[in-house]
Amino acid sequence: MTNVLPANAQTLNERIAELIRQKIVKGEYSPGQRLSEAALSESLEISRNTLREVFRMLTQEGLVKHEPNRGVSVAVPSIASIIDIYRVRRLIECQALAQAYPRHPAKRHLRDAVDEALRCRDAGDWQGVGTANMEFHMAVVELADSERLNTMFSHVLAELRLAFGLLNDPEFLHAPYVDMNARILALFEAGKPQEAAQALNEYLVNSERIVLAVYARRISDAGLERGIR
């Protein structure tokens, strides 16, 4: 009998880090929000030492920031990091879609994400639309059949959600992309992966321009100046 754990086994630290990461992806934590060590360790039922290790992991991913005498807070993305996020997205997502197996199981994930976005739009739940959008793009990367890419991209999406959170207008940000995601999926389902990838590339270029334009107008806000220097 051995004590070797399965390859997919997660440590407590990894599970807690993923939990906090998903809260960021879902928009439950805002950029710059202070994270109380005492409150979080109590609500998560873990020790403060464990939470500090988790904070160190998330700091390395650029999702939280530790400042002496100020504690830990959710990171505020810089313009440079936003540009880099979109560069990574174009490289990974467009290739994954263009080269995908037409009957890949992730196609169901794509369809579910589009359907959820449509339901949330009809209900006026724009935060829900944003979360469904994150799911759609995660499903695109799943088409590449790489666990390493899936893990890395989940970190990228968490950073992206922080950038979206700074804009503070989820309807303006997410409304145009509900139909764009549906169009990309329709092309893929019609057996046109190259055209779907081209539509996705145009989508990402447009999204980056909008995010950077709105973000740049907010740089002068006193609350953000310290965070992005």
Side-chain angles (χ1 to χ4, degrees), residues 6-22:
N8 63 349
Q10 285 186 307
T11 66
L12 174 62
N13 291 2
E14 290 169 336
R15 290 198 300 272
I16 298 300
E18 178 60 18
L19 178 62
I20 295 174
R21 199 179 294 119
Q22 285 304 311

Side-chain angles (χ1 to χ4, degrees), residues 26-41:
K26 293 176 181 177
E28 295 180 27
Y29 291 147
S30 304
Q33 178 180 336
R34 185 175 177 276
L35 299 176
S36 167
E37 186 178 286
L40 261 181
S41 61

Side-chain angles (χ1 to χ4, degrees), residues 11-12 40 55 79 81 86 90 94 101 103 106 111-112 116 122 129 133 140-141 157 159 176 193 196 207 216 221:
T11 66
L12 174 62
L40 261 181
F55 281 158
I79 285 182
S81 67
Y86 274 94
R90 285 191 294 271
C94 295
Y101 173 57
R103 296 186 180 182
R111 168 53 61 190
D112 289 344
E116 179 63 16
D122 291 344
V129 170
N133 184 52
V140 169
V141 175
L157 285 185
E159 280 193 89
S207 177
D221 291 357

Side-chain angles (χ1 to χ4, degrees), residues 68-135:
N69 303 317
R70 295 181 63 90
V72 175
S73 58
V74 180
V76 177
S78 66
I79 285 182
S81 67
I82 293 172
I83 292 171
D84 195 40
I85 286 168
Y86 274 94
R87 182 182 298 119
V88 169
R89 293 185 70 190
R90 285 191 294 271
L91 285 170
I92 294 176
E93 291 189 61
C94 295
Q95 285 301 308
L97 192 57
Q99 299 176 13
Y101 173 57
R103 296 186 180 182
H104 194 288
K107 187 163 73 171
R108 179 72 259 172
H109 191 181
L110 288 167
R111 168 53 61 190
D112 289 344
V114 167
D115 290 345
E116 179 63 16
L118 291 169
R119 284 193 293 270
C120 289
R121 183 178 67 179
D122 291 344
D125 177 8
W126 296 106
Q127 283 291 91
V129 170
T131 298
N133 184 52
M134 298 288 104
E135 285 294 324

